[in-house]
Amino acid sequence: NDAEAESMGGGEEDVDSEYETILKNLPKPSELAGYQLTPIEFDKDIDDHMLFVTACSNLRALNYSIPTEDTHRSRAIAGRIIPAIATTTALVTGLICLEMYKIIGTPRKELTVEAYKNGFINLAIPFITLSEPTPPAKTKAILKGEEWNWTAWDSLDISKGDITLSELMEHFKTEYNLEIQMLSQGVSILYSFFANKKKVQERMNMPMSKIITSITKKEFPPNQLFIILELIANDIDTDEEVEIPYVKFRFR
């Protein structure tokens, strides 16, 4: 209808006026005396550059179950990359960098979900729009009488070295008032309340890394520091199951 059309038309004008307002609010060059922004040019032969790029690329690879690479291999890959100019790849890279600045370059201590943006683009139309991401789903858990709403991005971090299974179970009893019913790593079950009692007793005094290697028959890479553990646990007082996130166990 006419009212709706007028409303849509007014939206375009609002964008233009908002643009003018933002432009006027930007500080003048004279107000930035002494401030200097120095861009850093990526150089694959600088170790600090490659360590950062390798860490970022491996984090992304892990998200999509892609094999990770070491710094030497990543340096060789970076040396063969052809720069993308005026393409969708360049635009996407720019949008990613804008989000990266928020995470590693912002002076704000905490960023709300509204600070981040999802980008949708189509250069054939052309079309580009940004929207706020949907917050991750929360799961409520009661630990030692206190409510904790955790998401898929949360974890329980344990940095006590390569402790034994018995020590790990005791840690959950004293720290979280939880009794472990089942403990697994990947597809390997490390402990369960219904497992063979003799086998469970043997594993109780074994370091966690030794239990895993004895089951998988594979040694951990020398540069691996963490093991991801998943468990089912009950509250000691109520005997009710408590949903908790995965455990990031640092064994080195």
mmCIF file of all heavy atoms in Angstrom, residues 137-187:
data_model
loop_
_atom_site.group_PDB
_atom_site.id
_atom_site.type_symbol
_atom_site.label_atom_id
_atom_site.label_comp_id
_atom_site.label_asym_id
_atom_site.label_seq_id
_atom_site.Cartn_x
_atom_site.Cartn_y
_atom_site.Cartn_z
ATOM 1 N N ALA A 137 22.823 -20.766 21.796
ATOM 2 C CA ALA A 137 21.862 -21.332 22.747
ATOM 3 C C ALA A 137 22.536 -21.581 24.096
ATOM 4 O O ALA A 137 23.711 -21.970 24.156
ATOM 5 C CB ALA A 137 21.289 -22.628 22.201
ATOM 6 N N LYS A 138 21.799 -21.358 25.170
ATOM 7 C CA LYS A 138 22.339 -21.533 26.512
ATOM 8 C C LYS A 138 21.753 -22.775 27.178
ATOM 9 O O LYS A 138 20.592 -23.113 26.981
ATOM 10 C CB LYS A 138 22.047 -20.294 27.372
ATOM 11 C CG LYS A 138 22.771 -19.033 26.913
ATOM 12 C CD LYS A 138 22.477 -17.865 27.848
ATOM 13 C CE LYS A 138 23.235 -16.615 27.402
ATOM 14 N NZ LYS A 138 22.972 -15.465 28.309
ATOM 15 N N THR A 139 22.590 -23.446 27.959
ATOM 16 C CA THR A 139 22.167 -24.607 28.732
ATOM 17 C C THR A 139 22.379 -24.299 30.207
ATOM 18 O O THR A 139 23.459 -23.854 30.606
ATOM 19 C CB THR A 139 22.981 -25.856 28.347
ATOM 20 O OG1 THR A 139 22.822 -26.122 26.954
ATOM 21 C CG2 THR A 139 22.530 -27.064 29.147
ATOM 22 N N LYS A 140 21.352 -24.511 31.006
ATOM 23 C CA LYS A 140 21.446 -24.202 32.434
ATOM 24 C C LYS A 140 21.990 -25.389 33.202
ATOM 25 O O LYS A 140 21.555 -26.526 33.026
ATOM 26 C CB LYS A 140 20.078 -23.805 32.984
ATOM 27 C CG LYS A 140 20.123 -23.363 34.443
ATOM 28 C CD LYS A 140 18.783 -22.818 34.929
ATOM 29 C CE LYS A 140 17.789 -23.929 35.132
ATOM 30 N NZ LYS A 140 16.545 -23.449 35.775
ATOM 31 N N ALA A 141 22.964 -25.109 34.063
ATOM 32 C CA ALA A 141 23.527 -26.140 34.933
ATOM 33 C C ALA A 141 23.622 -25.576 36.353
ATOM 34 O O ALA A 141 23.860 -24.388 36.532
ATOM 35 C CB ALA A 141 24.904 -26.570 34.441
ATOM 36 N N ILE A 142 23.447 -26.442 37.318
ATOM 37 C CA ILE A 142 23.581 -26.052 38.719
ATOM 38 C C ILE A 142 24.858 -26.703 39.250
ATOM 39 O O ILE A 142 24.946 -27.923 39.381
ATOM 40 C CB ILE A 142 22.375 -26.484 39.566
ATOM 41 C CG1 ILE A 142 21.073 -25.927 38.970
ATOM 42 C CG2 ILE A 142 22.550 -26.028 41.006
ATOM 43 C CD1 ILE A 142 21.000 -24.418 38.967
ATOM 44 N N LEU A 143 25.858 -25.874 39.546
ATOM 45 C CA LEU A 143 27.123 -26.370 40.074
ATOM 46 C C LEU A 143 27.334 -25.806 41.474
ATOM 47 O O LEU A 143 27.388 -24.590 41.658
ATOM 48 C CB LEU A 143 28.287 -25.963 39.172
ATOM 49 C CG LEU A 143 28.313 -26.565 37.756
ATOM 50 C CD1 LEU A 143 29.516 -26.057 36.984
ATOM 51 C CD2 LEU A 143 28.313 -28.081 37.810
ATOM 52 N N LYS A 144 27.412 -26.699 42.458
ATOM 53 C CA LYS A 144 27.605 -26.315 43.856
ATOM 54 C C LYS A 144 26.546 -25.302 44.300
ATOM 55 O O LYS A 144 26.829 -24.322 44.980
ATOM 56 C CB LYS A 144 29.014 -25.768 44.079
ATOM 57 C CG LYS A 144 30.102 -26.771 43.745
ATOM 58 C CD LYS A 144 31.492 -26.226 44.014
ATOM 59 C CE LYS A 144 31.782 -26.178 45.489
ATOM 60 N NZ LYS A 144 33.199 -25.857 45.765
ATOM 61 N N GLY A 145 25.313 -25.527 43.843
ATOM 62 C CA GLY A 145 24.198 -24.678 44.248
ATOM 63 C C GLY A 145 24.047 -23.395 43.478
ATOM 64 O O GLY A 145 23.093 -22.637 43.712
ATOM 65 N N GLU A 146 24.957 -23.104 42.537
ATOM 66 C CA GLU A 146 24.883 -21.873 41.760
ATOM 67 C C GLU A 146 24.528 -22.174 40.308
ATOM 68 O O GLU A 146 24.993 -23.159 39.730
ATOM 69 C CB GLU A 146 26.214 -21.119 41.820
ATOM 70 C CG GLU A 146 26.567 -20.628 43.220
ATOM 71 C CD GLU A 146 27.821 -19.785 43.226
ATOM 72 O OE1 GLU A 146 28.371 -19.537 42.120
ATOM 73 O OE2 GLU A 146 28.277 -19.375 44.317
ATOM 74 N N GLU A 147 23.693 -21.300 39.740
ATOM 75 C CA GLU A 147 23.258 -21.481 38.359
ATOM 76 C C GLU A 147 24.313 -20.987 37.383
ATOM 77 O O GLU A 147 24.895 -19.920 37.571
ATOM 78 C CB GLU A 147 21.941 -20.742 38.125
ATOM 79 C CG GLU A 147 21.368 -20.924 36.724
ATOM 80 C CD GLU A 147 20.031 -20.238 36.556
ATOM 81 O OE1 GLU A 147 19.181 -20.366 37.459
ATOM 82 O OE2 GLU A 147 19.845 -19.559 35.523
ATOM 83 N N TRP A 148 24.553 -21.767 36.348
ATOM 84 C CA TRP A 148 25.513 -21.397 35.311
ATOM 85 C C TRP A 148 24.871 -21.658 33.949
ATOM 86 O O TRP A 148 24.496 -22.778 33.643
ATOM 87 C CB TRP A 148 26.814 -22.206 35.445
ATOM 88 C CG TRP A 148 27.831 -21.905 34.381
ATOM 89 C CD1 TRP A 148 28.045 -20.707 33.766
ATOM 90 C CD2 TRP A 148 28.774 -22.816 33.801
ATOM 91 N NE1 TRP A 148 29.074 -20.797 32.847
ATOM 92 C CE2 TRP A 148 29.534 -22.085 32.847
ATOM 93 C CE3 TRP A 148 29.064 -24.167 33.997
ATOM 94 C CZ2 TRP A 148 30.554 -22.668 32.087
ATOM 95 C CZ3 TRP A 148 30.084 -24.751 33.248
ATOM 96 C CH2 TRP A 148 30.821 -24.007 32.305
ATOM 97 N N ASN A 149 24.722 -20.604 33.145
ATOM 98 C CA ASN A 149 24.177 -20.736 31.798
ATOM 99 C C ASN A 149 25.338 -20.733 30.800
ATOM 100 O O ASN A 149 25.918 -19.679 30.529
ATOM 101 C CB ASN A 149 23.216 -19.577 31.502
ATOM 102 C CG ASN A 149 21.957 -19.655 32.341
ATOM 103 O OD1 ASN A 149 21.212 -20.615 32.257
ATOM 104 N ND2 ASN A 149 21.724 -18.641 33.167
ATOM 105 N N TRP A 150 25.651 -21.918 30.286
ATOM 106 C CA TRP A 150 26.797 -22.036 29.399
ATOM 107 C C TRP A 150 26.361 -22.260 27.956
ATOM 108 O O TRP A 150 25.231 -22.650 27.685
ATOM 109 C CB TRP A 150 27.726 -23.159 29.853
ATOM 110 C CG TRP A 150 27.091 -24.517 29.952
ATOM 111 C CD1 TRP A 150 26.455 -25.045 31.037
ATOM 112 C CD2 TRP A 150 27.045 -25.531 28.937
ATOM 113 N NE1 TRP A 150 26.000 -26.326 30.756
ATOM 114 C CE2 TRP A 150 26.362 -26.648 29.484
ATOM 115 C CE3 TRP A 150 27.527 -25.611 27.627
ATOM 116 C CZ2 TRP A 150 26.147 -27.815 28.752
ATOM 117 C CZ3 TRP A 150 27.315 -26.773 26.898
ATOM 118 C CH2 TRP A 150 26.621 -27.855 27.463
ATOM 119 N N THR A 151 27.258 -21.974 27.035
ATOM 120 C CA THR A 151 26.995 -22.143 25.607
ATOM 121 C C THR A 151 28.025 -23.089 24.991
ATOM 122 O O THR A 151 28.929 -23.570 25.688
ATOM 123 C CB THR A 151 27.060 -20.787 24.870
ATOM 124 O OG1 THR A 151 28.440 -20.364 24.782
ATOM 125 C CG2 THR A 151 26.249 -19.723 25.603
ATOM 126 N N ALA A 152 27.898 -23.313 23.695
ATOM 127 C CA ALA A 152 28.825 -24.207 22.991
ATOM 128 C C ALA A 152 30.240 -23.651 22.975
ATOM 129 O O ALA A 152 31.196 -24.379 22.690
ATOM 130 C CB ALA A 152 28.336 -24.436 21.559
ATOM 131 N N TRP A 153 30.390 -22.349 23.278
ATOM 132 C CA TRP A 153 31.718 -21.729 23.284
ATOM 133 C C TRP A 153 32.397 -21.857 24.640
ATOM 134 O O TRP A 153 33.566 -21.481 24.782
ATOM 135 C CB TRP A 153 31.612 -20.248 22.902
ATOM 136 C CG TRP A 153 31.056 -20.041 21.534
ATOM 137 C CD1 TRP A 153 29.792 -19.635 21.199
ATOM 138 C CD2 TRP A 153 31.728 -20.254 20.288
ATOM 139 N NE1 TRP A 153 29.634 -19.572 19.843
ATOM 140 C CE2 TRP A 153 30.807 -19.950 19.252
ATOM 141 C CE3 TRP A 153 33.014 -20.668 19.940
ATOM 142 C CZ2 TRP A 153 31.137 -20.051 17.903
ATOM 143 C CZ3 TRP A 153 33.348 -20.771 18.600
ATOM 144 C CH2 TRP A 153 32.411 -20.467 17.610
ATOM 145 N N ASP A 154 31.697 -22.370 25.630
ATOM 146 C CA ASP A 154 32.273 -22.508 26.973
ATOM 147 C C ASP A 154 32.902 -23.880 27.161
ATOM 148 O O ASP A 154 32.586 -24.839 26.453
ATOM 149 C CB ASP A 154 31.182 -22.295 28.043
ATOM 150 C CG ASP A 154 30.684 -20.862 28.077
ATOM 151 O OD1 ASP A 154 31.530 -19.954 28.066
ATOM 152 O OD2 ASP A 154 29.455 -20.658 28.092
ATOM 153 N N SER A 155 33.768 -23.955 28.147
ATOM 154 C CA SER A 155 34.405 -25.228 28.492
ATOM 155 C C SER A 155 34.830 -25.180 29.954
ATOM 156 O O SER A 155 34.947 -24.097 30.545
ATOM 157 C CB SER A 155 35.624 -25.500 27.607
ATOM 158 O OG SER A 155 36.640 -24.530 27.829
ATOM 159 N N LEU A 156 35.060 -26.341 30.526
ATOM 160 C CA LEU A 156 35.653 -26.434 31.850
ATOM 161 C C LEU A 156 37.147 -26.671 31.651
ATOM 162 O O LEU A 156 37.549 -27.695 31.090
ATOM 163 C CB LEU A 156 35.024 -27.585 32.640
ATOM 164 C CG LEU A 156 33.557 -27.413 33.059
ATOM 165 C CD1 LEU A 156 33.059 -28.670 33.757
ATOM 166 C CD2 LEU A 156 33.391 -26.208 33.963
ATOM 167 N N ASP A 157 37.961 -25.719 32.095
ATOM 168 C CA ASP A 157 39.403 -25.802 31.868
ATOM 169 C C ASP A 157 40.099 -26.366 33.103
ATOM 170 O O ASP A 157 39.897 -25.885 34.223
ATOM 171 C CB ASP A 157 39.971 -24.424 31.540
ATOM 172 C CG ASP A 157 39.360 -23.839 30.268
ATOM 173 O OD1 ASP A 157 38.753 -24.624 29.500
ATOM 174 O OD2 ASP A 157 39.496 -22.627 30.038
ATOM 175 N N ILE A 158 40.926 -27.379 32.866
ATOM 176 C CA ILE A 158 41.689 -27.996 33.949
ATOM 177 C C ILE A 158 43.166 -27.962 33.567
ATOM 178 O O ILE A 158 43.566 -28.511 32.538
ATOM 179 C CB ILE A 158 41.238 -29.446 34.210
ATOM 180 C CG1 ILE A 158 39.766 -29.469 34.632
ATOM 181 C CG2 ILE A 158 42.108 -30.096 35.275
ATOM 182 C CD1 ILE A 158 39.218 -30.868 34.862
ATOM 183 N N SER A 159 43.962 -27.304 34.387
ATOM 184 C CA SER A 159 45.411 -27.192 34.133
ATOM 185 C C SER A 159 46.161 -27.689 35.362
ATOM 186 O O SER A 159 46.782 -26.914 36.102
ATOM 187 C CB SER A 159 45.794 -25.743 33.803
ATOM 188 O OG SER A 159 45.134 -25.292 32.649
ATOM 189 N N LYS A 160 46.114 -28.961 35.590
ATOM 190 C CA LYS A 160 46.774 -29.572 36.739
ATOM 191 C C LYS A 160 47.851 -30.567 36.327
ATOM 192 O O LYS A 160 48.285 -31.390 37.134
ATOM 193 C CB LYS A 160 45.745 -30.260 37.640
ATOM 194 C CG LYS A 160 44.824 -29.302 38.385
ATOM 195 C CD LYS A 160 43.873 -30.052 39.293
ATOM 196 C CE LYS A 160 43.151 -29.106 40.228
ATOM 197 N NZ LYS A 160 44.062 -28.483 41.207
ATOM 198 N N GLY A 161 48.237 -30.496 35.055
ATOM 199 C CA GLY A 161 49.218 -31.456 34.574
ATOM 200 C C GLY A 161 48.575 -32.781 34.211
ATOM 201 O O GLY A 161 47.343 -32.915 34.200
ATOM 202 N N ASP A 162 49.399 -33.754 33.942
ATOM 203 C CA ASP A 162 48.903 -35.071 33.517
ATOM 204 C C ASP A 162 48.523 -35.900 34.739
ATOM 205 O O ASP A 162 49.189 -36.876 35.089
ATOM 206 C CB ASP A 162 49.977 -35.776 32.678
ATOM 207 C CG ASP A 162 49.391 -36.895 31.831
ATOM 208 O OD1 ASP A 162 48.152 -37.026 31.797
ATOM 209 O OD2 ASP A 162 50.172 -37.624 31.198
ATOM 210 N N ILE A 163 47.429 -35.501 35.388
ATOM 211 C CA ILE A 163 46.993 -36.177 36.609
ATOM 212 C C ILE A 163 46.364 -37.523 36.277
ATOM 213 O O ILE A 163 46.026 -37.819 35.131
ATOM 214 C CB ILE A 163 45.998 -35.305 37.395
ATOM 215 C CG1 ILE A 163 44.789 -34.954 36.522
ATOM 216 C CG2 ILE A 163 46.677 -34.036 37.894
ATOM 217 C CD1 ILE A 163 43.714 -34.143 37.241
ATOM 218 N N THR A 164 46.183 -38.328 37.300
ATOM 219 C CA THR A 164 45.594 -39.657 37.102
ATOM 220 C C THR A 164 44.072 -39.554 37.009
ATOM 221 O O THR A 164 43.476 -38.526 37.335
ATOM 222 C CB THR A 164 45.958 -40.586 38.272
ATOM 223 O OG1 THR A 164 45.378 -40.064 39.478
ATOM 224 C CG2 THR A 164 47.477 -40.674 38.435
ATOM 225 N N LEU A 165 43.464 -40.647 36.588
ATOM 226 C CA LEU A 165 42.004 -40.694 36.495
ATOM 227 C C LEU A 165 41.389 -40.486 37.873
ATOM 228 O O LEU A 165 40.388 -39.770 38.030
ATOM 229 C CB LEU A 165 41.569 -42.036 35.908
ATOM 230 C CG LEU A 165 40.059 -42.305 35.878
ATOM 231 C CD1 LEU A 165 39.327 -41.241 35.074
ATOM 232 C CD2 LEU A 165 39.783 -43.695 35.297
ATOM 233 N N SER A 166 41.986 -41.101 38.896
ATOM 234 C CA SER A 166 41.483 -40.951 40.257
ATOM 235 C C SER A 166 41.535 -39.492 40.709
ATOM 236 O O SER A 166 40.591 -38.982 41.323
ATOM 237 C CB SER A 166 42.307 -41.825 41.212
ATOM 238 O OG SER A 166 41.899 -41.624 42.551
ATOM 239 N N GLU A 167 42.625 -38.803 40.391
ATOM 240 C CA GLU A 167 42.771 -37.397 40.770
ATOM 241 C C GLU A 167 41.780 -36.513 40.011
ATOM 242 O O GLU A 167 41.259 -35.535 40.562
ATOM 243 C CB GLU A 167 44.206 -36.936 40.513
ATOM 244 C CG GLU A 167 45.231 -37.566 41.450
ATOM 245 C CD GLU A 167 46.662 -37.264 41.039
ATOM 246 O OE1 GLU A 167 46.912 -37.095 39.822
ATOM 247 O OE2 GLU A 167 47.535 -37.210 41.926
ATOM 248 N N LEU A 168 41.517 -36.853 38.762
ATOM 249 C CA LEU A 168 40.550 -36.085 37.977
ATOM 250 C C LEU A 168 39.151 -36.224 38.566
ATOM 251 O O LEU A 168 38.414 -35.226 38.698
ATOM 252 C CB LEU A 168 40.558 -36.564 36.527
ATOM 253 C CG LEU A 168 39.574 -35.855 35.583
ATOM 254 C CD1 LEU A 168 39.969 -34.388 35.405
ATOM 255 C CD2 LEU A 168 39.510 -36.562 34.226
ATOM 256 N N MET A 169 38.789 -37.436 38.935
ATOM 257 C CA MET A 169 37.464 -37.659 39.512
ATOM 258 C C MET A 169 37.334 -36.952 40.856
ATOM 259 O O MET A 169 36.287 -36.383 41.183
ATOM 260 C CB MET A 169 37.204 -39.160 39.653
ATOM 261 C CG MET A 169 37.150 -39.890 38.315
ATOM 262 S SD MET A 169 36.755 -41.651 38.460
ATOM 263 C CE MET A 169 35.046 -41.580 38.970
ATOM 264 N N GLU A 170 38.401 -36.947 41.635
ATOM 265 C CA GLU A 170 38.383 -36.261 42.917
ATOM 266 C C GLU A 170 38.276 -34.752 42.728
ATOM 267 O O GLU A 170 37.613 -34.056 43.517
ATOM 268 C CB GLU A 170 39.655 -36.598 43.705
ATOM 269 C CG GLU A 170 39.681 -36.047 45.119
ATOM 270 C CD GLU A 170 38.553 -36.588 45.989
ATOM 271 O OE1 GLU A 170 38.108 -37.736 45.763
ATOM 272 O OE2 GLU A 170 38.118 -35.848 46.898
ATOM 273 N N HIS A 171 38.916 -34.234 41.670
ATOM 274 C CA HIS A 171 38.847 -32.802 41.364
ATOM 275 C C HIS A 171 37.394 -32.385 41.098
ATOM 276 O O HIS A 171 36.955 -31.330 41.577
ATOM 277 C CB HIS A 171 39.712 -32.483 40.149
ATOM 278 C CG HIS A 171 39.571 -31.075 39.652
ATOM 279 N ND1 HIS A 171 40.143 -29.989 40.280
ATOM 280 C CD2 HIS A 171 38.900 -30.567 38.571
ATOM 281 C CE1 HIS A 171 39.843 -28.879 39.630
ATOM 282 N NE2 HIS A 171 39.091 -29.199 38.588
ATOM 283 N N PHE A 172 36.661 -33.194 40.350
ATOM 284 C CA PHE A 172 35.266 -32.864 40.056
ATOM 285 C C PHE A 172 34.385 -32.965 41.306
ATOM 286 O O PHE A 172 33.424 -32.205 41.446
ATOM 287 C CB PHE A 172 34.720 -33.777 38.949
ATOM 288 C CG PHE A 172 34.963 -33.247 37.573
ATOM 289 C CD1 PHE A 172 36.133 -33.536 36.909
ATOM 290 C CD2 PHE A 172 34.037 -32.423 36.950
ATOM 291 C CE1 PHE A 172 36.385 -33.026 35.639
ATOM 292 C CE2 PHE A 172 34.267 -31.905 35.698
ATOM 293 C CZ PHE A 172 35.451 -32.205 35.026
ATOM 294 N N LYS A 173 34.747 -33.851 42.214
ATOM 295 C CA LYS A 173 33.977 -33.961 43.452
ATOM 296 C C LYS A 173 34.164 -32.731 44.327
ATOM 297 O O LYS A 173 33.202 -32.166 44.857
ATOM 298 C CB LYS A 173 34.396 -35.215 44.218
ATOM 299 C CG LYS A 173 33.910 -36.514 43.591
ATOM 300 C CD LYS A 173 34.351 -37.711 44.428
ATOM 301 C CE LYS A 173 33.864 -39.022 43.810
ATOM 302 N NZ LYS A 173 34.311 -40.198 44.602
ATOM 303 N N THR A 174 35.416 -32.307 44.492
ATOM 304 C CA THR A 174 35.700 -31.193 45.396
ATOM 305 C C THR A 174 35.408 -29.838 44.762
ATOM 306 O O THR A 174 34.964 -28.911 45.445
ATOM 307 C CB THR A 174 37.172 -31.240 45.837
ATOM 308 O OG1 THR A 174 38.028 -31.214 44.679
ATOM 309 C CG2 THR A 174 37.453 -32.501 46.630
ATOM 310 N N GLU A 175 35.668 -29.690 43.458
ATOM 311 C CA GLU A 175 35.529 -28.397 42.801
ATOM 312 C C GLU A 175 34.106 -28.122 42.337
ATOM 313 O O GLU A 175 33.628 -26.979 42.403
ATOM 314 C CB GLU A 175 36.477 -28.327 41.594
ATOM 315 C CG GLU A 175 36.555 -26.966 40.925
ATOM 316 C CD GLU A 175 37.237 -25.925 41.793
ATOM 317 O OE1 GLU A 175 37.986 -26.320 42.712
ATOM 318 O OE2 GLU A 175 37.014 -24.725 41.549
ATOM 319 N N TYR A 176 33.396 -29.164 41.854
ATOM 320 C CA TYR A 176 32.072 -28.957 41.270
ATOM 321 C C TYR A 176 30.970 -29.759 41.952
ATOM 322 O O TYR A 176 29.807 -29.671 41.540
ATOM 323 C CB TYR A 176 32.099 -29.316 39.777
ATOM 324 C CG TYR A 176 33.126 -28.545 38.993
ATOM 325 C CD1 TYR A 176 34.259 -29.186 38.479
ATOM 326 C CD2 TYR A 176 32.983 -27.178 38.759
ATOM 327 C CE1 TYR A 176 35.211 -28.485 37.755
ATOM 328 C CE2 TYR A 176 33.926 -26.471 38.040
ATOM 329 C CZ TYR A 176 35.041 -27.134 37.539
ATOM 330 O OH TYR A 176 35.985 -26.426 36.831
ATOM 331 N N ASN A 177 31.323 -30.572 42.941
ATOM 332 C CA ASN A 177 30.347 -31.426 43.626
ATOM 333 C C ASN A 177 29.670 -32.384 42.648
ATOM 334 O O ASN A 177 28.478 -32.645 42.727
ATOM 335 C CB ASN A 177 29.291 -30.576 44.340
ATOM 336 C CG ASN A 177 28.557 -31.341 45.420
ATOM 337 O OD1 ASN A 177 29.177 -32.069 46.209
ATOM 338 N ND2 ASN A 177 27.239 -31.213 45.465
ATOM 339 N N LEU A 178 30.475 -32.896 41.713
ATOM 340 C CA LEU A 178 29.968 -33.809 40.695
ATOM 341 C C LEU A 178 30.683 -35.155 40.769
ATOM 342 O O LEU A 178 31.884 -35.220 41.045
ATOM 343 C CB LEU A 178 30.172 -33.216 39.295
ATOM 344 C CG LEU A 178 29.418 -31.934 38.942
ATOM 345 C CD1 LEU A 178 29.809 -31.460 37.555
ATOM 346 C CD2 LEU A 178 27.903 -32.146 39.033
ATOM 347 N N GLU A 179 29.911 -36.200 40.499
ATOM 348 C CA GLU A 179 30.491 -37.540 40.420
ATOM 349 C C GLU A 179 30.413 -38.010 38.977
ATOM 350 O O GLU A 179 29.339 -38.080 38.378
ATOM 351 C CB GLU A 179 29.739 -38.512 41.323
ATOM 352 C CG GLU A 179 30.364 -39.898 41.339
ATOM 353 C CD GLU A 179 29.735 -40.803 42.386
ATOM 354 O OE1 GLU A 179 28.702 -40.410 42.966
ATOM 355 O OE2 GLU A 179 30.277 -41.893 42.614
ATOM 356 N N ILE A 180 31.574 -38.310 38.400
ATOM 357 C CA ILE A 180 31.642 -38.711 36.996
ATOM 358 C C ILE A 180 31.042 -40.105 36.813
ATOM 359 O O ILE A 180 31.417 -41.053 37.514
ATOM 360 C CB ILE A 180 33.097 -38.690 36.497
ATOM 361 C CG1 ILE A 180 33.658 -37.266 36.557
ATOM 362 C CG2 ILE A 180 33.188 -39.224 35.064
ATOM 363 C CD1 ILE A 180 35.116 -37.157 36.157
ATOM 364 N N GLN A 181 30.100 -40.223 35.866
ATOM 365 C CA GLN A 181 29.487 -41.506 35.538
ATOM 366 C C GLN A 181 30.109 -42.119 34.283
ATOM 367 O O GLN A 181 30.215 -43.340 34.179
ATOM 368 C CB GLN A 181 27.978 -41.318 35.319
ATOM 369 C CG GLN A 181 27.248 -40.730 36.515
ATOM 370 C CD GLN A 181 27.301 -41.637 37.722
ATOM 371 O OE1 GLN A 181 26.998 -42.834 37.623
ATOM 372 N NE2 GLN A 181 27.691 -41.090 38.864
ATOM 373 N N MET A 182 30.492 -41.245 33.352
ATOM 374 C CA MET A 182 31.121 -41.719 32.121
ATOM 375 C C MET A 182 32.072 -40.639 31.615
ATOM 376 O O MET A 182 31.755 -39.450 31.670
ATOM 377 C CB MET A 182 30.085 -42.056 31.044
ATOM 378 C CG MET A 182 30.687 -42.641 29.761
ATOM 379 S SD MET A 182 29.430 -43.035 28.517
ATOM 380 C CE MET A 182 28.557 -44.355 29.346
ATOM 381 N N LEU A 183 33.231 -41.076 31.123
ATOM 382 C CA LEU A 183 34.252 -40.160 30.634
ATOM 383 C C LEU A 183 34.779 -40.684 29.308
ATOM 384 O O LEU A 183 35.108 -41.867 29.187
ATOM 385 C CB LEU A 183 35.395 -40.044 31.645
ATOM 386 C CG LEU A 183 36.574 -39.133 31.289
ATOM 387 C CD1 LEU A 183 36.136 -37.680 31.239
ATOM 388 C CD2 LEU A 183 37.701 -39.305 32.307
ATOM 389 N N SER A 184 34.840 -39.809 28.304
ATOM 390 C CA SER A 184 35.290 -40.247 26.983
ATOM 391 C C SER A 184 36.173 -39.195 26.340
ATOM 392 O O SER A 184 36.147 -38.015 26.701
ATOM 393 C CB SER A 184 34.097 -40.550 26.071
ATOM 394 O OG SER A 184 33.325 -39.376 25.863
ATOM 395 N N GLN A 185 36.944 -39.659 25.360
ATOM 396 C CA GLN A 185 37.779 -38.778 24.542
ATOM 397 C C GLN A 185 37.629 -39.239 23.097
ATOM 398 O O GLN A 185 38.039 -40.334 22.739
ATOM 399 C CB GLN A 185 39.253 -38.847 24.984
ATOM 400 C CG GLN A 185 40.157 -37.827 24.325
ATOM 401 C CD GLN A 185 40.847 -38.347 23.064
ATOM 402 O OE1 GLN A 185 41.082 -39.547 22.926
ATOM 403 N NE2 GLN A 185 41.173 -37.449 22.152
ATOM 404 N N GLY A 186 36.976 -38.382 22.273
ATOM 405 C CA GLY A 186 36.659 -38.824 20.916
ATOM 406 C C GLY A 186 35.669 -39.978 20.971
ATOM 407 O O GLY A 186 34.618 -39.900 21.616
ATOM 408 N N VAL A 187 36.035 -41.090 20.332
ATOM 409 C CA VAL A 187 35.162 -42.266 20.337
ATOM 410 C C VAL A 187 35.569 -43.270 21.409
ATOM 411 O O VAL A 187 34.968 -44.341 21.519
ATOM 412 C CB VAL A 187 35.185 -42.948 18.947
ATOM 413 C CG1 VAL A 187 34.626 -42.017 17.888
ATOM 414 C CG2 VAL A 187 36.606 -43.386 18.569
#
